[in-house]
Amino acid sequence: MIEFENVTKVYESGNKKVTAVNDVSFHVEEGKICVFLGPSGCGKTTLLRMVNRLIPITKGTIKVNGKDVNNTDAIELRRSIGYVIQHNGLFPNMTIEENISVVPKLLGWEETKIKKRYDELMEMMGLDPEQFQKRYPYELSGGQQQRIGIARALAADPPVMLMDEPFGALDPVIREHLQNEFLKIQKEMKKTILFVSHDIDEAIKLGDQVAIFNAGKLMQFDTPDRILSHPKNDFVRDFVGEDRSLKRLSLLKVKDLVELIDGFVEGRNKSDWSGQVISVNDNLRTALSVMLSEPNGEAGVADEENNLLGVLHVSDFSLLNGVHPEDLTIVK
Amino acid sequence: MMTERKTEQIVKFALYAIILAIFVWAYFTGAFQFILDHPGDLLYLTGQHLELIGISSALAICTAVPLGILVTRPKFKKFDWIVLNFANIGQTVPSLAILALVMSYFGLGFQTAVFALWFNSLLPILRNTVAGIDNVNPLIIEAGKGMGMTSKQIFFKVELPNAMYAIMAGIRTSVVINVGTAALAFLIGAGGLGDLIFTGISLFDTGIMLSGAVPVIILAIVIDKILSLIEKALIPRGLRRTPEYS
Ligand SMILES: Nc1ncnc2c1ncn2[C@@H]1O[C@H](COP(=O)(O)OP(=O)(O)O)[C@@H](O)[C@H]1O
Ligand SMILES: [Mg+2]
């Protein structure tokens, strides 16, 4: 869906040259979230903004849906690609409804269709359309503003979205909340998303694919699990951190571990269980943390309807040796 | 924040007190009596005064705003310092000096006065227009670009509305100053309320002098009020409570 072929960007200011993106090639599949990960200044934003031609490409080609972006009219291209930036970039002079309706209006949609789309997007973002319609951005909280920013980018239902650290300025609790909502929405929308982040945990959580950069060079392009289990070089290893095995656990669900245990429901059932209970849909990192807080390292496992299925023990985690999330049922 | 508001209130209060004192003074020196005795003259001179301000300010707005917009366009960005310095010099030269300067070309009278007042009004509008547009948050311009707005759409839908607060402030300042400066127009034979002021001064008659000065003050206050109403209508509601936001 989005192909980067030997993409290079050299900034020239005066006689100084900065190679912000250095001969980068990879391919993002349709309907996937690809996270651009790396330290500040490694060229993530530059690469992202070359996709919608906000920054001209020095060398190489970027193709969206098979079409070289340089052969597409820049204005048309941008209207067909959703764009979200860190500080939401909402227009302070426009109401929430006007902000969200910008691109549909640019595309010349009918009034009624625009209104309908506004209602739809607000519902999707969990905000009351009526209540926010006539409000202005300054009247909203940071989290609400960022949701509007995302709704605005989705307004014309673009197949591709570019998101530059959209949750970066939010406090951790709200950030996590929005990440979860975002994943839920993406499950239905199946957009192709390029998502810039400098946070490894965010990348693991949101990415189907992760591209790690250092000083303009692509270090590794892989699934989050591969990045964590097979870091390609020292840079990636350092960047993901010593606790990468622990981080891998967040890619798996309790469900996945339970399925590896033969006769879990028959053999582990304790009807008089009084300790903490985790859900089959919790990730294993959370589960482990709960179990470690229990004196005997155990936790009850409940299914979606909150029925106790059985009890899990820390030692069960040894079953995960050599297991990769892509071999298992569902990851996200 | 709180102290700033307080200072503002104290200044405002002091200003009203001074105005009130002038009115009282005007009453005791017989300025109001003079006005009542010569309503025709006063009306005529006020009309002239308004004409001077109206034409010169309108011309100033029509030149300074577009010029300010022009120098903020990427193509002309290089030239903005030339224009701003030029306008700065215009402001530093005393009004009387401008009058003298222009007089040698236009001769005495209305045209010279309008030219001088126009020239004198440019800077506050120009400077605020440039600052207002330059200070629009680059992130929202970036967002507009990224969403596929053309540069024209970015200008009219994003830059201009968000710079409106500063532009209107410049216009208000400029016009109100202009009301006072226009009193000098009499000196070059262009009439206006300066007629009474300078006649009073030369006759050592405070009453006559104030019968010109008081209407100038009233005009300034009324015009400022009208402009503030226009401002309310022009500034987007989302910006009104947060002038610092743009
Ligand atoms: N407009 C520019 N002119 C010159 N250098 C730039 C410009 N924009 C970014 N850079 C440089 O390019 C490099 C990559 O920047 P950027 O893409 O913003 O990194 P990131 O988003 O990963 O933090 C940095 O070294 C930065 O200083
Ligand atoms: Mg960046």
Side-chain angles (χ1 to χ4, degrees):
Chain A
M1 180 70 172
I2 304 176
E3 291 158 77
F4 298 88
E5 281 162 32
N6 307 100
V7 178
T8 297
K9 175 68 197 181
V10 182
Y11 286 113
E12 286 184 63
S13 44
N15 46 14
K16 248 183 58 193
K17 284 188 180 184
V18 179
T19 307
V21 174
N22 194 347
D23 195 21
V24 163
S25 303
F26 61 101
H27 178 186
V28 179
E29 286 163 44
E30 187 166 351
K32 302 276 187 206
I33 301 177
C34 173
V35 178
F36 293 3
L37 182 65
S40 178
C42 69
K44 310 178 293 287
T45 297
T46 302
L47 186 61
L48 189 78
R49 287 160 46 114
M50 283 194 282
V51 177
N52 64 357
R53 293 186 57 187
L54 285 172
I55 295 176
I57 304 165
T58 308
K59 239 193 290 173
T61 44
I62 299 177
K63 286 184 190 162
V64 174
N65 221 348
K67 243 180 117 184
D68 185 341
V69 291
N70 276 339
N71 294 335
T72 316
D73 175 65
I75 299 288
E76 231 170 86
L77 178 77
R78 289 173 197 155
R79 289 178 188 176
S80 69
I81 295 179
Y83 185 50
V84 186
I85 54 182
Q86 179 170 11
H87 291 281
N88 70 66
L90 296 182
F91 302 127
N93 56 307
M94 297 185 192
T95 61
I96 299 308
E97 185 180 24
E98 287 166 344
N99 262 289
I100 289 184
S101 310
V102 167
V103 178
K105 269 185 196 150
L106 290 176
L107 293 172
W109 287 17
E110 270 174 48
E111 232 17 79
T112 48
K113 190 176 164 197
I114 295 178
K115 175 79 180 75
K116 210 174 132 235
R117 183 64 180 153
Y118 164 76
D119 289 343
E120 211 173 276
L121 285 162
M122 290 298 276
E123 301 283 359
M124 195 194 280
M125 293 296 147
L127 298 168
D128 180 14
E130 290 275 318
Q131 192 195 337
F132 286 93
Q133 191 175 21
K134 295 270 178 289
R135 292 222 206 153
Y136 286 88
Y138 78 89
E139 298 172 295
L140 273 59
S141 71
Q144 289 171 334
Q145 289 185 10
Q146 205 54 52
R147 274 180 235 206
I148 302 297
I150 293 173
R152 182 172 73 173
L154 286 170
D157 205 13
V160 176
M161 297 265 286
L162 309 180
M163 309 179 83
D164 197 346
E165 309 207 23
F167 309 132
L170 303 172
D171 69 64
V173 177
I174 297 180
R175 184 186 316 149
E176 174 147 8
H177 186 68
L178 284 194
Q179 285 169 345
N180 294 338
E181 274 178 30
F182 171 68
L183 276 180
K184 222 185 283 164
I185 293 169
Q186 164 65 359
K187 227 180 197 170
E188 280 167 25
M189 294 187 314
K190 302 244 177 353
K191 304 278 182 207
T192 308
I193 297 172
L194 303 182
F195 188 110
V196 169
S197 177
H198 60 259
D199 175 4
I200 171 80
D201 290 311
E202 183 171 64
I204 293 168
K205 180 167 184 179
L206 302 181
D208 298 304
Q209 299 164 309
V210 177
I212 297 197
F213 298 92
N214 180 31
K217 285 216 173 84
L218 181 62
M219 295 283 109
Q220 187 167 357
F221 176 69
D222 244 322
T223 62
D225 177 58
R226 292 281 304 173
I227 297 264
L228 292 171
S229 59
H230 296 86
K232 224 174 177 172
N233 54 35
D234 289 345
F235 175 82
V236 177
R237 194 168 304 130
D238 285 348
F239 194 83
V240 298
E242 293 298 339
D243 59 342
R244 59 176 191 276
S245 326
L246 214 51
K247 284 181 174 130
R248 274 188 68 212
L249 287 180
S250 60
L251 295 170
L252 296 167
K253 291 191 172 175
V254 172
K255 202 185 290 184
D256 300 316
L257 180 56
V258 163
E259 273 164 18
L260 291 174
I261 301 170
D262 291 326
F264 179 80
V265 178
E266 299 83 54
R268 301 287 192 90
N269 210 335
K270 279 192 191 168
S271 48
D272 59 341
W273 177 253
S274 59
Q276 296 200 60
V277 175
I278 53 181
S279 154
V280 283
N281 287 320
D282 283 339
N283 74 52
L284 281 176
R285 195 177 174 178
T286 312
L288 182 63
S289 141
V290 169
M291 289 153 78
L292 289 175
S293 71
E294 286 287 305
N296 44 8
E298 288 182 329
V301 177
D303 66 9
E304 275 104 347
E305 279 84 45
N306 227 349
N307 304 314
L308 193 73
L309 297 178
V311 173
L312 209 55
H313 190 263
V314 245
S315 61
D316 295 327
F317 277 82
S318 62
L319 291 169
L320 291 170
N321 281 339
V323 170
H324 290 279
E326 46 261 41
D327 310 331
L328 296 168
T329 46
I330 11 87
V331 186
K332 295 212 169 64
Chain B
M1 188 71 202
M2 206 51 221
T3 52
E4 211 170 276
R5 248 194 115 83
K6 233 176 195 153
T7 335
E8 196 187 310
Q9 274 174 350
I10 293 169
V11 169
K12 236 182 193 164
F13 181 78
L15 221 65
Y16 284 132
I18 292 170
I19 290 169
L20 194 72
I22 293 176
F23 278 37
V24 172
W25 186 26
Y27 177 79
F28 286 112
T29 51
F32 290 116
Q33 197 53 50
F34 184 90
I35 291 172
L36 287 176
D37 290 346
H38 307 85
D41 287 357
L42 200 93
L43 224 59
Y44 176 73
L45 292 176
T46 307
Q48 266 185 338
H49 205 92
L50 279 174
E51 204 176 334
L52 284 167
I53 308 164
I55 295 175
S56 60
S57 284
L59 287 176
I61 293 167
C62 292
T63 30
V65 175
L67 193 63
I69 290 168
L70 195 73
V71 299
T72 56
R73 296 306 89 197
K75 271 188 225 156
F76 296 96
K77 199 73 213 156
K78 301 193 277 282
F79 304 114
D80 69 342
W81 65 273
I82 302 179
V83 175
L84 280 177
N85 278 327
F86 192 69
N88 261 321
I89 291 167
Q91 190 76 359
T92 2
V93 180
S95 323
L96 275 172
I98 297 173
L99 284 178
L101 213 73
V102 184
M103 240 166 17
S104 46
Y105 294 98
F106 280 130
L108 289 175
F110 186 74
Q111 283 180 346
T112 309
V114 167
F115 183 89
L117 291 174
W118 163 78
F119 193 72
N120 213 50
S121 302
L122 290 176
L123 184 71
I125 307 179
L126 185 64
R127 201 164 37 192
N128 273 38
T129 303
V130 173
I133 294 175
D134 279 349
N135 286 336
V136 172
N137 183 349
L139 276 177
I140 63 175
I141 294 173
E142 160 83 20
K145 233 190 241 169
M147 292 163 80
M149 286 184 168
T150 61
S151 5
K152 206 168 120 192
Q153 286 162 336
I154 289 175
F155 175 70
F156 283 108
K157 291 183 175 159
V158 182
E159 291 182 277
L160 196 58
N162 287 292
M164 214 55 202
Y165 194 90
I167 296 175
M168 276 312 293
I171 290 175
R172 243 170 107 174
T173 312
S174 165
V175 174
V176 171
I177 292 175
N178 206 9
V179 174
T181 315
L184 298 173
F186 163 73
L187 295 177
I188 50 165
L193 289 163
D195 193 333
L196 292 172
I197 296 174
F198 288 103
T199 307
I201 290 173
S202 58
L203 294 177
F204 298 105
D205 186 328
T206 320
I208 296 180
M209 191 266 276
L210 287 174
S211 69
V214 166
V216 169
I217 294 173
I218 295 174
L219 269 188
I221 294 173
V222 170
I223 287 174
D224 188 50
K225 211 63 249 141
I226 293 171
L227 287 174
S228 89
L229 290 178
I230 294 175
E231 189 178 281
K232 273 224 172 79
L234 285 181
I235 294 176
R237 203 159 62 78
L239 298 173
R240 236 176 269 160
R241 287 253 307 276
T242 52
E244 72 278 13
Y245 193 92
S246 65

